[in-house]
Amino acid sequence: GGTTTIRGYDEEAFRVDSYALSRLEWRWTIGGGAQYAAVFWDHVTAETRVPAGATDAGEGDHLERLERNGIGVGVRIEAGPGTVGIDYGLEPGRPPLEGKIHLRLVSSF
């Protein structure tokens, strides 16, 4: 979860062995340069190996699959030290007040 993976979730919200991440963004240029506003949809498919005895069923080692989505809006603004990103992400089905705000600074150094 978080700004570098699936927005709308806490940073490091998932511990997985492997994952595939896809993002779809629709951007509008604002001002000039690399500044923009966007709406987005993030999707992750992940798998984690669960050891024998770790579940109530007591079955042997198996893979658990996880699929999550995050939707929201964001902006990228050029600032002195680099580009500042602000995203508001939400897990579909949650009320708007449970969304997450993600801040990001991409340094120009």
Side-chain angles (χ1 to χ4, degrees):
T3 190
T4 59
T5 55
I6 185 163
R7 295 165 283 187
Y9 293 84
D10 290 332
E11 299 288 330
E12 306 296 324
F14 309 107
R15 301 281 185 206
V16 298
D17 295 325
S18 61
Y19 70 93
L21 173 67
S22 60
R23 291 185 155 180
L24 179 64
E25 287 190 354
W26 189 283
R27 297 178 179 177
W28 293 271
T29 303
I30 54 176
Q35 300 184 125
Y36 64 86
V39 294
F40 63 82
W41 170 60
D42 297 340
H43 177 78
V44 69
T45 298
E47 289 185 335
T48 301
R49 181 158 303 281
V50 178
T55 63
D56 293 335
E59 51 203 42
D61 285 2
H62 66 280
L63 287 175
E64 280 190 0
R65 177 171 265 178
L66 171 76
E67 301 219 18
R68 295 289 187 267
N69 293 294
I71 56 173
V73 297
V75 295
R76 299 294 178 271
I77 302 168
E78 291 178 345
T83 303
V84 175
I86 303 170
D87 294 322
Y88 169 76
L90 184 65
E91 177 185 354
R94 295 278 192 181
L97 291 177
E98 290 184 14
K100 306 291 181 203
I101 295 175
H102 301 285
L103 301 174
R104 177 183 193 171
L105 172 63
V106 179
S107 175
S108 56
F109 299 111

Short mmCIF file of all heavy atoms in Angstrom, two decimals, residues 23-53:
data_model
loop_
_atom_site.label_atom_id
_atom_site.label_comp_id
_atom_site.label_asym_id
_atom_site.label_seq_id
_atom_site.Cartn_x
_atom_site.Cartn_y
_atom_site.Cartn_z
N ARG A 23 -1.63 0.41 -13.11
CA ARG A 23 -2.17 1.73 -12.82
C ARG A 23 -2.74 2.32 -14.09
O ARG A 23 -2.17 2.18 -15.16
CB ARG A 23 -1.06 2.66 -12.32
CG ARG A 23 -0.55 2.29 -10.98
CD ARG A 23 0.45 3.31 -10.49
NE ARG A 23 0.45 3.26 -9.04
CZ ARG A 23 1.20 4.01 -8.30
NH1 ARG A 23 1.99 4.91 -8.83
NH2 ARG A 23 1.16 3.89 -7.00
N LEU A 24 -3.86 3.00 -13.92
CA LEU A 24 -4.47 3.72 -15.02
C LEU A 24 -4.71 5.14 -14.51
O LEU A 24 -5.35 5.33 -13.47
CB LEU A 24 -5.79 3.06 -15.42
CG LEU A 24 -6.56 3.73 -16.54
CD1 LEU A 24 -5.77 3.68 -17.84
CD2 LEU A 24 -7.91 3.05 -16.73
N GLU A 25 -4.15 6.13 -15.22
CA GLU A 25 -4.31 7.53 -14.83
C GLU A 25 -4.79 8.34 -16.03
O GLU A 25 -4.34 8.12 -17.15
CB GLU A 25 -2.99 8.14 -14.35
CG GLU A 25 -2.54 7.68 -13.02
CD GLU A 25 -1.36 8.50 -12.48
OE1 GLU A 25 -0.82 9.37 -13.18
OE2 GLU A 25 -1.00 8.24 -11.33
N TRP A 26 -5.66 9.27 -15.76
CA TRP A 26 -6.12 10.24 -16.76
C TRP A 26 -5.62 11.59 -16.26
O TRP A 26 -6.04 12.06 -15.21
CB TRP A 26 -7.63 10.23 -16.86
CG TRP A 26 -8.12 11.04 -18.02
CD1 TRP A 26 -8.20 12.39 -18.11
CD2 TRP A 26 -8.58 10.54 -19.27
NE1 TRP A 26 -8.69 12.77 -19.32
CE2 TRP A 26 -8.93 11.65 -20.06
CE3 TRP A 26 -8.73 9.27 -19.80
CZ2 TRP A 26 -9.42 11.52 -21.34
CZ3 TRP A 26 -9.23 9.15 -21.07
CH2 TRP A 26 -9.57 10.26 -21.83
N ARG A 27 -4.70 12.23 -17.03
CA ARG A 27 -4.03 13.44 -16.58
C ARG A 27 -4.44 14.67 -17.37
O ARG A 27 -4.69 14.60 -18.57
CB ARG A 27 -2.51 13.29 -16.71
CG ARG A 27 -1.95 12.20 -15.85
CD ARG A 27 -0.47 12.06 -16.07
NE ARG A 27 0.10 11.02 -15.23
CZ ARG A 27 1.36 10.67 -15.27
NH1 ARG A 27 2.21 11.27 -16.07
NH2 ARG A 27 1.79 9.70 -14.47
N TRP A 28 -4.45 15.81 -16.65
CA TRP A 28 -4.67 17.12 -17.27
C TRP A 28 -3.49 17.99 -16.89
O TRP A 28 -3.18 18.16 -15.70
CB TRP A 28 -5.94 17.78 -16.74
CG TRP A 28 -7.18 17.07 -17.12
CD1 TRP A 28 -7.93 17.27 -18.24
CD2 TRP A 28 -7.86 16.05 -16.38
NE1 TRP A 28 -9.01 16.43 -18.24
CE2 TRP A 28 -8.99 15.67 -17.10
CE3 TRP A 28 -7.60 15.42 -15.16
CZ2 TRP A 28 -9.87 14.69 -16.66
CZ3 TRP A 28 -8.47 14.44 -14.73
CH2 TRP A 28 -9.58 14.09 -15.47
N THR A 29 -2.83 18.58 -17.87
CA THR A 29 -1.71 19.48 -17.61
C THR A 29 -2.21 20.76 -16.96
O THR A 29 -3.20 21.33 -17.39
CB THR A 29 -0.98 19.82 -18.93
OG1 THR A 29 -0.57 18.59 -19.54
CG2 THR A 29 0.22 20.69 -18.68
N ILE A 30 -1.50 21.20 -15.92
CA ILE A 30 -1.83 22.46 -15.26
C ILE A 30 -0.56 23.30 -15.21
O ILE A 30 0.53 22.77 -14.96
CB ILE A 30 -2.41 22.27 -13.84
CG1 ILE A 30 -1.49 21.42 -12.97
CG2 ILE A 30 -3.78 21.65 -13.90
CD1 ILE A 30 -1.93 21.27 -11.53
N GLY A 31 -0.67 24.57 -15.44
CA GLY A 31 0.51 25.43 -15.43
C GLY A 31 1.41 25.09 -16.60
O GLY A 31 1.04 25.24 -17.75
N GLY A 32 2.57 24.60 -16.34
CA GLY A 32 3.52 24.22 -17.38
C GLY A 32 4.47 23.17 -16.85
O GLY A 32 4.42 22.77 -15.69
N GLY A 33 5.35 22.72 -17.69
CA GLY A 33 6.32 21.70 -17.28
C GLY A 33 5.66 20.38 -16.94
O GLY A 33 4.79 19.90 -17.65
N ALA A 34 6.08 19.79 -15.82
CA ALA A 34 5.61 18.46 -15.42
C ALA A 34 4.44 18.52 -14.44
O ALA A 34 4.14 17.54 -13.78
CB ALA A 34 6.76 17.68 -14.80
N GLN A 35 3.76 19.65 -14.35
CA GLN A 35 2.65 19.77 -13.41
C GLN A 35 1.36 19.23 -14.04
O GLN A 35 1.07 19.49 -15.20
CB GLN A 35 2.45 21.23 -13.02
CG GLN A 35 3.67 21.83 -12.36
CD GLN A 35 3.43 23.25 -11.89
OE1 GLN A 35 3.64 23.50 -10.73
NE2 GLN A 35 3.01 24.15 -12.75
N TYR A 36 0.61 18.47 -13.24
CA TYR A 36 -0.65 17.93 -13.74
C TYR A 36 -1.59 17.55 -12.60
O TYR A 36 -1.17 17.39 -11.47
CB TYR A 36 -0.41 16.72 -14.66
CG TYR A 36 0.21 15.52 -13.99
CD1 TYR A 36 -0.58 14.57 -13.34
CD2 TYR A 36 1.58 15.30 -14.03
CE1 TYR A 36 -0.03 13.46 -12.74
CE2 TYR A 36 2.15 14.20 -13.44
CZ TYR A 36 1.34 13.27 -12.80
OH TYR A 36 1.89 12.16 -12.20
N ALA A 37 -2.86 17.41 -12.94
CA ALA A 37 -3.89 16.85 -12.07
C ALA A 37 -4.33 15.53 -12.71
O ALA A 37 -4.25 15.39 -13.93
CB ALA A 37 -5.06 17.80 -11.92
N ALA A 38 -4.77 14.58 -11.90
CA ALA A 38 -5.13 13.27 -12.45
C ALA A 38 -6.21 12.60 -11.62
O ALA A 38 -6.37 12.87 -10.43
CB ALA A 38 -3.89 12.38 -12.49
N VAL A 39 -6.94 11.70 -12.27
CA VAL A 39 -7.77 10.71 -11.58
C VAL A 39 -7.10 9.37 -11.85
O VAL A 39 -6.47 9.18 -12.90
CB VAL A 39 -9.25 10.71 -12.06
CG1 VAL A 39 -9.92 12.02 -11.70
CG2 VAL A 39 -9.37 10.45 -13.53
N PHE A 40 -7.19 8.44 -10.90
CA PHE A 40 -6.46 7.18 -11.08
C PHE A 40 -7.23 5.98 -10.56
O PHE A 40 -8.15 6.11 -9.76
CB PHE A 40 -5.09 7.25 -10.40
CG PHE A 40 -5.14 7.41 -8.90
CD1 PHE A 40 -5.34 6.34 -8.06
CD2 PHE A 40 -4.99 8.67 -8.34
CE1 PHE A 40 -5.38 6.50 -6.68
CE2 PHE A 40 -5.03 8.84 -6.96
CZ PHE A 40 -5.23 7.75 -6.13
N TRP A 41 -6.79 4.82 -11.05
CA TRP A 41 -7.25 3.51 -10.57
C TRP A 41 -6.01 2.63 -10.49
O TRP A 41 -5.29 2.47 -11.47
CB TRP A 41 -8.27 2.92 -11.52
CG TRP A 41 -8.60 1.48 -11.24
CD1 TRP A 41 -9.14 0.97 -10.09
CD2 TRP A 41 -8.43 0.36 -12.12
NE1 TRP A 41 -9.31 -0.39 -10.20
CE2 TRP A 41 -8.88 -0.79 -11.44
CE3 TRP A 41 -7.93 0.22 -13.40
CZ2 TRP A 41 -8.84 -2.05 -12.00
CZ3 TRP A 41 -7.90 -1.05 -13.97
CH2 TRP A 41 -8.36 -2.17 -13.27
N ASP A 42 -5.72 2.10 -9.30
CA ASP A 42 -4.61 1.17 -9.10
C ASP A 42 -5.20 -0.20 -8.82
O ASP A 42 -6.23 -0.33 -8.14
CB ASP A 42 -3.77 1.58 -7.88
CG ASP A 42 -3.10 2.93 -8.02
OD1 ASP A 42 -2.96 3.40 -9.16
OD2 ASP A 42 -2.72 3.50 -6.99
N HIS A 43 -4.54 -1.23 -9.33
CA HIS A 43 -4.99 -2.61 -9.08
C HIS A 43 -3.76 -3.47 -8.80
O HIS A 43 -2.75 -3.37 -9.49
CB HIS A 43 -5.74 -3.18 -10.28
CG HIS A 43 -6.13 -4.61 -10.09
ND1 HIS A 43 -7.22 -4.97 -9.32
CD2 HIS A 43 -5.57 -5.76 -10.52
CE1 HIS A 43 -7.32 -6.29 -9.31
NE2 HIS A 43 -6.33 -6.79 -10.03
N VAL A 44 -3.84 -4.30 -7.76
CA VAL A 44 -2.75 -5.22 -7.45
C VAL A 44 -3.30 -6.63 -7.29
O VAL A 44 -4.39 -6.83 -6.75
CB VAL A 44 -1.98 -4.80 -6.17
CG1 VAL A 44 -2.82 -4.95 -4.93
CG2 VAL A 44 -0.68 -5.56 -6.04
N THR A 45 -2.55 -7.58 -7.83
CA THR A 45 -2.80 -9.00 -7.60
C THR A 45 -1.55 -9.52 -6.93
O THR A 45 -0.44 -9.34 -7.45
CB THR A 45 -3.03 -9.75 -8.93
OG1 THR A 45 -4.18 -9.21 -9.57
CG2 THR A 45 -3.24 -11.23 -8.70
N ALA A 46 -1.68 -10.14 -5.77
CA ALA A 46 -0.52 -10.59 -5.00
C ALA A 46 -0.74 -12.01 -4.49
O ALA A 46 -1.88 -12.46 -4.36
CB ALA A 46 -0.29 -9.65 -3.82
N GLU A 47 0.37 -12.68 -4.23
CA GLU A 47 0.31 -14.02 -3.66
C GLU A 47 1.28 -14.13 -2.49
O GLU A 47 2.38 -13.57 -2.53
CB GLU A 47 0.67 -15.08 -4.70
CG GLU A 47 -0.38 -15.24 -5.76
CD GLU A 47 -0.08 -16.38 -6.71
OE1 GLU A 47 1.10 -16.74 -6.89
OE2 GLU A 47 -1.03 -16.91 -7.28
N THR A 48 0.84 -14.84 -1.47
CA THR A 48 1.65 -15.08 -0.29
C THR A 48 1.58 -16.56 0.06
O THR A 48 0.49 -17.14 0.08
CB THR A 48 1.14 -14.25 0.91
OG1 THR A 48 1.18 -12.88 0.55
CG2 THR A 48 1.97 -14.49 2.15
N ARG A 49 2.74 -17.16 0.34
CA ARG A 49 2.76 -18.55 0.76
C ARG A 49 2.44 -18.62 2.25
O ARG A 49 3.05 -17.94 3.06
CB ARG A 49 4.13 -19.19 0.51
CG ARG A 49 4.17 -20.64 0.93
CD ARG A 49 5.25 -21.42 0.25
NE ARG A 49 5.20 -21.41 -1.18
CZ ARG A 49 4.39 -22.16 -1.95
NH1 ARG A 49 3.52 -22.97 -1.37
NH2 ARG A 49 4.42 -22.09 -3.25
N VAL A 50 1.43 -19.41 2.58
CA VAL A 50 1.00 -19.58 3.97
C VAL A 50 1.49 -20.96 4.43
O VAL A 50 1.17 -21.97 3.81
CB VAL A 50 -0.54 -19.49 4.09
CG1 VAL A 50 -0.98 -19.72 5.52
CG2 VAL A 50 -1.01 -18.14 3.57
N PRO A 51 2.30 -21.00 5.50
CA PRO A 51 2.84 -22.28 5.96
C PRO A 51 1.76 -23.18 6.58
O PRO A 51 0.72 -22.71 7.03
CB PRO A 51 3.88 -21.89 7.01
CG PRO A 51 3.54 -20.51 7.42
CD PRO A 51 2.77 -19.87 6.28
N ALA A 52 2.05 -24.46 6.60
CA ALA A 52 1.13 -25.45 7.19
C ALA A 52 0.88 -25.08 8.65
O ALA A 52 1.77 -24.66 9.36
CB ALA A 52 1.73 -26.85 7.09
N GLY A 53 -0.36 -25.22 9.09
CA GLY A 53 -0.73 -24.96 10.47
C GLY A 53 -1.00 -23.50 10.79
O GLY A 53 -1.37 -23.17 11.90
#
